[in-house]
């Protein structure tokens, strides 16, 4: 296979040959964090996208700044299977001595291991069923570069160059990416292209290129872009008109605010004065972050904060206040594996219960579940309308996989005709015309009352916002009747909300299938592949993707129409199933759950296996009974 | 419960520049204990706002939780108020101010609210230099939960039930001075003559103004062993200078800054006229103010009056370089970049 590998030292006679594959394989990069590998790996993924071929890229990284193993997995799939595939990879690039044996182990039998051969591998314990592609990358860098940082950084670029030859990646696609990446910093372009060429030449001279697994140009990207969800959320907030942000850094949500800030620096500077049309404060903690958000929203600005699980815990007292005092605010929760610090750099959907019912007393919150960076953008922008219309917090439930990994996603779209909707907010003129204003009067019967902002009218509309019980005129009251009246109205408001939120996405044949699959968020990435695999088992299913909580009749109807309902989620305790059975009063025994909570994005294999296991155990039970 | 006051009033009550009487600055009837120092603060705020002709609806009344935080309900009925979360008034006010820089933020807090549960938020709102008036009604005791010691209670004093304050007390004025507040004063709810001009000056000051107001608790901390009782405070209050407030409209004649008086011009053109009591009084020296406070404390005295003032200090929006129009008034055309720019952003992800 390879012209010159250290294979002469390894018994390679019975090596398996991997079946040739075009545009359908997984490549895994094993690096050390803090060595600049991420940008090289991203360039690799993007080059394939520029050849018109779908990819998904997952960064599997430690909670550490420098020196620990980190992996980057790229799945190339012209069938558009963009979830993690799972299992071993066709090709692994092993650049980290610490994880070398694990990385060799992660190669599929017959697959390829590209490594830095500047130091010889200890051959005794090596697998002999894979191909070793040794390339003296460190030695080349030692020779080519003087600066130690360059010696490190260009290692990554060199292996990308080698992969271009090995996998048939168009060299021009890489070159144009380098040009884009260093726009404005042109002096970096030539050295990067030179490093790519070193790798490319070396591979061509020493290995048989291309390998049987390779890419070939297609035209399958259409209008899609490659971007992460946090960028979508941050940009959505710019488009949704957010002007105030209070925040506290926490992985994996930090880049939501960083992206918002960097777009604001470009797009929100007043051209005449050079002053900012936004204000952002990195607060002392998450309590202050949400306090800032609530104060600003109370005062009529569109405001948001972003956090992750532990931050949600700290924000719950304020969420109760915002629910009860009916103050709008947007909270973007990029979920990670908990509890406590859990696995802070791994993904999960495990804050559903803590967000749906966050805070003391009878509270309930609006949740939106985006599946893609595109929906992060749309929901983020939309949430500012929803929260002002409904006068209650809106929580966007993203997750680490969605937020921090690049996904191939439909391009962002904005309709210039669409106007911001501030809901029932009274102007000075409207207040002048009103005989008697009461903040908590339900004039329209939909549970939503009319809001006023401080400073609007000299004599009318002022009231005292408080977390304490009050009557419809916003006067302090401890009367049980006033309290109950208010709580019932809040329930009515949530019924109104369920009709206003994004509708579930249902895929259903005319005659409902026997089985129904309910899923949400990033699980969506595995669904098309799951359906195809189930077809191979002669199973057909209908699907429903939840986009929002509180639920509406669609979900009840879907559950009733199917004999078996599976709820797929990425947490241990089947939290969505708990919410569904509680809210819709469905016997939980009717809802089978498939739960993945190992911190890695869910795979179709896992879902299909879960369904098959349940079905076979069902058969067994039926046989027994 | 809250009770509305009778609107009946004398037909010839004096009116201010806006044509409003002091009754237009009142709030609901207080439900605090009879004789509570906080009610005197309320009345001082009403007088200050009325005399300064502040449009009531251009004020936002901010508070946390506690007896002190109930007080905003008892003044300026025509202003919006926000009784927020215990210890979190500073962050809510920060957000409100970020959204609308044109309102006057009058905030009431207490010793539990600011020196215990909210100490972190207090510290950070000071360093942010938020343009607000931050008043603490300081009585050294928890009222609503019936008499527990507060962190501002002097070390070594006992509360009503005899519990000893065993830990070091926190002096919020010292903290504010250390953290860069540009207006720091301490007063006594029982001394309206001192308190009203200080509130007026705090309102005129641009930037973070901090007022710690010793406000005795008649129910839980007015006993002979207390250092926050009416009698103790009356007997032990000292001041380095008498500060009078001269509003903008009053013509300043050349002889007005007469012997021993120093005039400090505030941002809005009004004057803080300082008449020194002690020769070495210096309103421009924050470090000296800290030393003075501590030295008087050692003698069992409470140093009051204007402790520090920097009328040229900055504030959050200046530091942030925020646009002059309040952010909550920017329209969609200003805020939303539109579809054409979005398509170029999309191109950066291809």
């Amino acid at each position: 296979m390879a012209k010159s590998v250290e294979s002469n030292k390894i018994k390679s006679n019975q090596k398996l040959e991997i079946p040739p594959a075009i545009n359908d394989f997984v490549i895994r990069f094993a690096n050390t964090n803090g060595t600049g590998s991420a940008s090289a790996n991203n360039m690799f993924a993007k080059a394939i996208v520029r050849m018109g071929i779908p990819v998904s890229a997952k960064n599997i990284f430690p909670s550490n700044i420098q020196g620990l193993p980190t992996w980057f997995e790229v799945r190339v799939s012209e069938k558009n299977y963009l979830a993690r595939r799972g299992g071993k990879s066709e090709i692994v690039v092993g650049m980290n001595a610490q994880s070398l044996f694990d990385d060799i182990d992660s190669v599929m039998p017959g697959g390829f291991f590209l490594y830095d051969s500047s130091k010889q591998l200890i051959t005794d314990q090596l697998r002999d069923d894979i191909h070793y592609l040794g390339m003296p990358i460190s030695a080349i860098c030692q020779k080519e570069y003087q600066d130690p940082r360059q010696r490190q950084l260009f290692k990554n670029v060199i292996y990308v160059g080698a992969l271009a030859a090995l996998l048939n990646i168009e060299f021009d696609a890489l070159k144009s990416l380098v040009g884009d990446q260093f726009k404005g910093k042109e002096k970096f372009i030539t050295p990067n292209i030179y490093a790519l060429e070193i790798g490319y030449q070396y591979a061509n001279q020493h290995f048989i290129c291309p390998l049987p697994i390779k890419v070939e140009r297609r035209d399958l990207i259409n209008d899609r872009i490659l971007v992460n969800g946090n960028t979508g959320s941050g940009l959505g907030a710019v488009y949704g008109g957010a002007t105030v942000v209070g925040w506290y850094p926490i992985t994996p949500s930090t880049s939501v605010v960083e992206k918002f800030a960097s777009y604001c620096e470009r797009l929100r500077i007043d051209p005449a004065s050079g002053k900012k049309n936004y204000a952002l404060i990195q607060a002392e903690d998450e309590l202050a972050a949400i306090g800032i958000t609530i104060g600003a929203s109370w005062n009529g600005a569109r405001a948001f904060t972003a956090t992750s699980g532990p931050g949600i815990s700290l924000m719950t007292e304020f969420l109760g206040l915002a629910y009860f005092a009916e103050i709008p605010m947007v909270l973007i929760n990029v979920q990670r594996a908990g509890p406590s610090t859990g696995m802070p750099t791994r993904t999960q959907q495990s804050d559903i219960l803590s967000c749906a019912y966050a805070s003391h007393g009878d509270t309930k919150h609006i949740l939106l579940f985006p599946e893609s960076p595109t929906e992060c953008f749309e929901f983020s922008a939309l949430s500012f309308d929803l929260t002002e219309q409904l006068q209650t917090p809106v929580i966007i439930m993203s997750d680490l996989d969605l937020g921090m990994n690049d996904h191939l996603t439909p391009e962002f779209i904005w309709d210039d005709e669409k106007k911001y909707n501030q809901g029932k907010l009274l102007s000075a003129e409207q207040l002048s015309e009103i005989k008697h204003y009461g903040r908590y009067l339900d004039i329209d019967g939909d549970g939503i009352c009319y809001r006023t902002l401080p400073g609007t009218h000299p004599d009318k509309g002022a009231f005292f916002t408080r977390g304490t019980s009050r009557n419809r005129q916003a006067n302090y009251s401890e009367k049980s009747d006033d309290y109950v009246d208010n709580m019932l109205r809040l329930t009515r408001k949530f019924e109104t909300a369920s009709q206003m939120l994004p509708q579930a996405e249902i895929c259903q044949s005319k005659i409902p299938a026997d089985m129904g699959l309910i899923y949400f968020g990033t699980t969506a990435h595995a669904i098309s592949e799951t359906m195809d695999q189930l077809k191979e088992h002669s199973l057909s299913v209908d699907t429903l993707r939840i986009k929002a909580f509180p639920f509406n009749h669609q979900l009840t109807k879907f559950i009733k129409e199917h004999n078996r309902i599976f709820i797929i989620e990425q947490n241990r305790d089947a939290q969505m199933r708990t919410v569904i059975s509680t809210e819709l009063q469905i016997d939980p025994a009717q809802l089978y759950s498939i739960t993945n909570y190992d911190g890695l994005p869910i795979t179709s294999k896992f879902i299909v296996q879960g369904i098959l296991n349940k079905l076979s155990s069902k058969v067994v039970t039926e046989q027994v009974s | 419960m809250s009770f509305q006051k009778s609107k009946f009033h004398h037909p010839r009550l004096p009116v201010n520049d806006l044509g409003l009487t002091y009754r237009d600055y009142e709030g609901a009837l207080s439900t605090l204990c009879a004789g509570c120092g906080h009610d005197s603060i309320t009345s001082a705020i009403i007088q200050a706002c009325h005399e300064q002709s502040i449009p009531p609806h251009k004020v936002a009344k901010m508070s946390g939780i506690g007896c002190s935080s109930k007080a905003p309900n008892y003044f300026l009925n025509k202003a919006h108020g926000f009784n927020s979360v215990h210890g979190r008034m500073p962050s809510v006010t920060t957000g409100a101010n970020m959204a609308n820089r044109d309102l006057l933020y009058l905030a009431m807090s207490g010793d539990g609210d600011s020196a215990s549960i909210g100490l972190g938020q207090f510290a950070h709102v000071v360093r942010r230099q938020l343009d607000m008036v931050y008043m603490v009604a300081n009585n050294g005791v928890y009222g609503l939960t019936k008499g527990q010691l507060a962190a501002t209670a002097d070390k070594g004093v006992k509360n009503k039930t005899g519990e000893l304050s065993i830990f070091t007390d926190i002096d919020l004025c010292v903290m504010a001075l250390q953290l860069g507040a540009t207006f720091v004063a301490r007063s006594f709810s029982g001394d309206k003559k001192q308190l009203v001009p200080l509130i007026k000056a705090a309102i005129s000051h641009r930037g973070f103004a901090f007022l710690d107001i010793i406000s005795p608790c008649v129910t839980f901390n007015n006993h002979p062993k207390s250092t926050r009782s009416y009698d103790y405070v009356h007997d032990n209050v000292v001041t380095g200078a008498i500060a009078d407030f001269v509003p903008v409209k009053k013509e300043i004649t050349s002889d007005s800054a007469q012997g021993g008086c120093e005039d400090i011009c505030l941002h809005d053109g009004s004057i803080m006229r300082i008449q020194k009591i002690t020769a070495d009084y210096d309103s421009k020296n924050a470090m000296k103010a800290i030393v003075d406070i501590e030295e008087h404390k050692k003698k069992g005295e409470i140093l009051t009056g204007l402790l520090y003032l920097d009328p040229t200090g900055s504030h959050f929006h200046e530091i942030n370089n925020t646009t002059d129009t309040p952010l909550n008034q920017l329209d969609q055309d200003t805020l939303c970049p539109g579809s054409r720019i979005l398509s170029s952003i999309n191109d950066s992800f291809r």
Side-chain angles (χ1 to χ4, degrees):
Chain A
M1 185 57 44
K3 278 184 210 162
S4 163
V5 195
E6 293 182 44
S7 54
N8 51 339
K9 295 169 198 155
I10 304 165
K11 290 175 204 160
S12 57
N13 307 343
Q14 297 111 26
K15 251 180 217 164
L16 283 166
E17 292 304 323
I18 200 162
I22 294 166
N23 299 338
D24 181 21
F25 60 90
V26 174
I27 176 167
R28 187 173 167 95
F29 298 84
N31 301 96
T32 311
N33 74 331
T35 58
S37 56
S39 66
N41 295 344
N42 279 315
M43 180 163 74
F44 169 85
K46 213 165 179 180
I48 297 175
V49 172
R50 288 214 174 163
M51 290 176 65
I53 308 153
V55 301
S56 77
K58 310 264 182 233
N59 197 358
I60 300 152
F61 61 103
S63 179
N64 179 272
I65 300 301
Q66 205 176 62
L68 287 185
T70 177
W71 293 273
F72 187 77
E73 216 176 74
V74 178
R75 181 176 187 184
V76 181
S77 167
E78 64 176 38
K79 286 183 184 159
N80 272 307
Y81 292 159
L82 298 178
R84 204 167 58 89
R85 188 184 66 186
K88 301 194 181 217
S89 306
E90 279 84 348
I91 177 162
V92 173
V93 180
M95 295 296 292
N96 186 353
Q98 294 173 80
S99 60
L100 193 72
F101 290 103
D102 285 344
D103 296 332
I104 290 173
D105 191 50
S106 70
V107 182
M108 195 180 269
F112 301 88
F113 186 70
L114 177 67
Y115 69 102
D116 184 353
S117 60
S118 307
K119 282 184 188 161
Q120 275 199 351
L121 285 180
I122 303 158
T123 52
D124 310 356
Q125 301 147 8
L126 292 183
R127 291 169 64 179
D128 61 1
D129 62 342
I130 61 170
H131 304 278
Y132 293 87
L133 307 175
M135 183 172 166
I137 301 176
S138 296
I140 294 171
C141 284
Q142 197 72 20
K143 199 180 90 205
E144 294 283 342
Y145 305 102
Q146 300 307 311
D147 174 29
R149 183 69 188 155
Q150 284 193 339
R151 281 178 180 164
Q152 178 55 52
L153 285 176
F154 284 120
K155 273 190 205 171
N156 307 314
V157 184
I158 289 173
Y159 71 64
V160 172
L163 288 170
L166 288 165
L167 299 173
N168 202 30
I169 297 168
E170 292 167 13
F171 199 76
D172 282 347
L174 283 170
K175 263 165 71 175
S176 72
L177 274 168
V178 171
D180 292 352
Q181 194 182 338
F182 296 106
K183 215 172 202 171
K185 295 180 247 175
E186 272 73 15
K187 63 170 182 172
F188 294 113
I189 295 177
T190 313
N192 272 280
I193 291 176
Y194 179 65
L196 284 172
E197 268 167 357
I198 294 175
Y200 192 77
Q201 299 299 346
Y202 187 96
N204 267 327
Q205 284 160 18
H206 295 83
F207 312 130
I208 296 171
C209 293
L211 300 176
I213 46 159
K214 60 184 176 188
V215 295
E216 235 173 52
R217 181 169 272 281
R218 295 284 185 270
D219 186 15
L220 300 168
I221 302 301
N222 305 322
D223 63 353
R224 283 182 292 180
I225 53 177
L226 190 65
V227 68
N228 61 57
N230 285 356
T231 302
S233 301
L235 187 61
V238 175
Y239 273 76
T243 53
V244 176
V245 179
W247 73 292
Y248 189 77
I250 179 170
T251 305
S253 73
T254 305
S255 57
V256 173
V257 175
E258 286 173 346
K259 285 292 170 188
F260 174 81
S262 71
Y263 282 115
C264 280
E265 280 162 26
R266 271 172 55 193
L267 305 169
R268 283 281 190 79
I269 303 296
D270 180 57
S273 64
K275 292 183 173 182
K276 292 177 184 170
N277 285 331
Y278 66 100
L280 193 134
I281 283 181
Q282 182 188 322
E284 58 271 32
D285 53 28
E286 283 90 345
L287 290 85
I290 190 172
I292 287 168
T293 310
I294 286 173
S297 299
W298 171 78
N299 221 354
R302 294 193 151 190
F304 79 96
T305 185
T307 193
S308 190
I312 294 290
S313 298
L314 288 175
M315 291 177 178
T316 52
E317 185 183 17
F318 257 128
L319 280 169
L321 173 84
Y323 171 80
F324 193 64
E326 299 182 69
I327 300 163
M329 61 155 287
V330 172
L331 168 54
I332 297 169
N333 177 19
V334 188
Q335 298 167 93
R336 67 188 207 188
S340 189
T341 322
M343 289 202 288
T345 57
R346 301 292 196 274
T347 197
Q348 242 173 31
Q349 301 173 320
S350 51
D351 297 338
I352 296 160
L353 284 169
S354 70
C355 285
Y357 306 113
S359 211
H360 46 278
D362 288 322
T363 48
K364 202 178 271 192
H365 303 289
I366 288 166
L367 311 180
L368 300 177
F369 299 95
E371 60 150 2
S372 63
T374 311
E375 272 190 359
C376 285
F377 174 80
E378 289 170 4
F379 287 2
S380 172
L382 171 72
S383 63
F384 293 96
D385 276 354
L386 287 174
T387 196
E388 289 197 318
Q389 288 173 284
L390 293 163
Q391 300 173 24
T392 199
V394 171
I395 309 177
I396 297 176
M397 304 290 283
S398 178
D399 64 31
L400 182 140
D401 176 31
L402 178 54
M404 292 189 73
N405 286 322
D406 281 352
H407 299 267
L408 208 52
T409 188
E411 63 180 5
F412 301 143
I413 290 174
W414 183 260
D415 175 7
D416 290 321
E417 300 301 310
K418 191 185 125 54
K419 293 289 161 234
Y420 295 162
N421 186 342
Q422 290 191 283
K424 299 181 187 179
L425 176 66
L426 295 175
S427 65
E429 295 72 31
Q430 288 169 315
L431 273 168
S432 291
E433 283 165 19
I434 289 173
K435 216 170 204 177
H436 175 74
Y437 170 72
R439 169 66 180 98
Y440 300 107
L441 286 171
D442 185 7
I443 291 166
D444 306 323
D446 56 3
I448 305 170
C449 309
Y450 286 80
R451 207 159 58 101
T452 60
L453 298 181
T456 304
H457 193 282
D459 299 308
K460 280 180 167 173
F463 66 98
F464 208 62
T465 303
R466 46 162 66 88
T468 330
S469 54
R470 72 268 146 159
N471 60 21
R472 293 178 183 184
Q473 271 68 43
N475 290 323
Y476 183 85
S477 166
E478 291 178 10
K479 285 184 185 157
S480 300
D481 287 350
D482 283 336
Y483 177 80
V484 171
D485 175 65
N486 189 56
M487 293 306 279
L488 283 174
R489 183 181 53 74
L490 288 173
T491 306
R492 209 152 59 233
K493 183 163 91 168
F494 269 67
E495 280 157 17
T496 305
S498 71
Q499 304 307 315
M500 287 167 63
L501 301 175
Q503 301 284 302
E505 181 183 299
I506 300 172
C507 279
Q508 188 164 316
S509 35
K510 271 191 186 152
I511 304 154
D514 180 57
M515 285 191 293
L517 241 61
I518 294 171
Y519 64 98
F520 56 95
T522 45
T523 302
H525 307 165
I527 292 301
S528 68
E529 196 176 0
T530 298
M531 303 284 278
D532 289 352
Q533 287 172 6
L534 286 174
K535 259 180 220 151
E536 286 167 20
H537 290 92
S538 309
L539 293 168
S540 72
V541 293
D542 297 331
T543 63
L544 180 145
R545 176 164 72 88
I546 294 170
K547 289 192 196 172
F549 171 78
F551 313 121
N552 64 22
H553 65 279
Q554 286 178 301
L555 185 58
T556 319
K557 185 165 171 274
F558 184 84
I559 292 172
K560 285 196 176 141
E561 280 175 357
H562 294 87
N563 288 329
R564 293 190 183 93
I565 289 286
F566 289 88
I567 301 175
I568 307 157
E569 44 191 318
Q570 302 188 47
N571 59 68
R572 185 191 67 180
D573 293 342
Q575 297 186 21
M576 184 63 91
R577 174 170 168 265
T578 303
V579 178
I580 290 175
S581 65
T582 306
E583 295 287 329
L584 304 179
Q585 284 156 31
I586 289 165
D587 178 2
Q590 293 177 14
L591 307 171
Y592 305 129
S593 60
I594 296 174
T595 59
N596 168 71
Y597 52 94
D598 62 0
L600 295 171
I602 198 166
T603 63
S604 60
K605 269 184 205 158
F606 185 88
I607 299 171
V608 171
Q609 202 52 54
I611 293 172
L612 294 177
N613 287 348
K614 270 291 193 299
L615 292 179
S616 62
S617 72
K618 175 102 180 164
V619 172
V620 171
T621 347
E622 279 166 358
Q623 282 168 347
V624 171
S625 60
Chain B
M1 294 298 296
S2 65
F3 301 94
Q4 299 304 314
K5 278 184 190 165
S6 154
K7 290 200 171 97
F8 183 78
H9 65 78
H10 192 281
R12 287 193 302 275
L13 275 181
V15 292
N16 63 11
D17 289 352
L18 301 173
L20 301 175
T21 73
Y22 81 87
R23 303 232 36 191
D24 293 313
Y25 289 82
E26 288 182 336
L29 207 61
S30 170
T31 58
L32 297 168
C33 306
C36 177
H38 301 2
D39 285 335
S40 309
I41 301 174
T42 293
S43 125
I45 293 170
I46 291 169
Q47 188 185 335
C49 289
H50 175 242
E51 288 177 5
Q52 259 189 288
S53 299
I54 305 288
H57 74 293
K58 292 293 181 190
V59 175
K61 305 176 291 179
M62 313 301 289
S63 67
I65 294 291
C67 290
S68 59
S69 294
K70 292 169 101 175
N73 199 19
Y74 313 136
F75 58 82
L76 269 62
N77 241 355
K78 289 176 180 172
H80 276 68
F82 196 159
N83 194 185
S84 64
V85 172
H86 197 19
R88 317 295 170 214
M89 175 278 286
S91 64
V92 176
T93 310
T94 300
N97 189 312
M98 288 162 86
N100 186 351
R101 58 188 295 172
D102 282 356
L103 299 180
L104 167 62
Y105 294 91
L106 287 183
M108 274 293 273
S109 183
D111 39 40
D113 206 45
S114 283
S116 287
I117 191 168
L119 191 65
Q121 295 224 335
F122 170 75
H124 284 271
V125 77
V126 182
R127 64 184 280 266
R128 262 175 229 138
Q129 317 258 43
L130 201 73
D131 188 8
M132 70 180 292
V133 179
Y134 193 125
M135 290 172 281
V136 169
N138 183 353
N139 54 18
V141 78
Y142 282 65
L144 275 183
T145 51
K146 304 197 169 180
Q148 296 81 8
L149 289 157
T152 58
D154 289 327
K155 188 178 175 184
V157 300
K158 283 183 178 168
N159 72 357
K160 201 175 175 183
T161 58
E163 189 191 349
L164 188 69
S165 180
I166 52 174
F167 300 121
T168 311
D169 52 280
I170 290 173
D171 190 311
L172 291 171
C173 283
V174 170
M175 282 193 70
L177 286 161
Q178 198 272 327
L179 291 163
T182 47
F183 180 112
V184 180
R186 174 166 281 144
S187 192
F188 171 37
S189 64
D191 185 357
K192 223 174 171 181
K193 225 178 143 194
Q194 182 191 52
L195 181 55
V196 172
L198 286 174
I199 294 174
K200 285 180 181 172
I203 289 172
S204 285
H205 178 68
R206 197 192 60 166
F208 186 80
F210 180 66
L211 254 167
D212 184 53
I213 307 164
I214 310 294
S215 176
C217 173
V218 282
T219 306
F220 295 110
N221 205 9
N222 205 24
H223 50 93
K225 296 254 172 77
S226 167
T227 54
R228 294 289 178 273
S229 66
Y230 274 108
D231 287 347
Y232 185 91
V233 180
H234 257 299
D235 295 345
N236 291 284
V237 81
V238 291
T239 186
I242 294 167
D244 198 16
F245 180 81
V246 186
V248 192
K249 59 175 178 177
K250 214 178 214 177
E251 198 185 337
I252 299 156
T253 53
S254 56
D255 63 305
S256 60
Q258 75 274 70
C261 276
E262 181 199 352
D263 279 357
I264 304 171
C265 188
L266 298 172
H267 182 257
D268 65 356
S270 53
I271 299 282
M272 198 68 184
R273 180 156 298 162
I274 310 289
Q275 195 184 331
K276 287 185 185 180
I277 303 281
T278 50
D280 65 342
Y281 172 84
D282 181 3
S283 69
K284 297 179 203 67
N285 189 338
M287 289 306 115
K288 183 175 179 307
I290 292 174
V291 173
D292 287 350
I293 291 169
E294 297 294 350
E295 278 180 355
H296 283 286
K297 197 180 286 171
K298 272 185 213 153
K299 292 189 273 184
E301 292 171 348
I302 302 165
L303 181 66
T304 61
L306 179 71
L307 299 167
Y308 177 71
L309 173 59
D310 173 9
T312 62
S314 192
H315 63 102
F316 169 74
H317 285 294
E318 195 172 85
I319 298 163
N320 185 60
N321 197 26
T322 320
T323 199
D324 297 339
T325 311
L327 293 177
N328 68 351
Q329 285 157 36
L330 297 176
D331 59 12
Q332 185 172 348
D333 289 344
T334 311
L335 297 176
C336 184
S339 62
R340 208 170 48 84
I341 286 175
L342 190 58
S343 79
S344 75
I345 293 173
N346 279 327
D347 288 342
S348 70
F349 302 128
R350 292 188 208 276

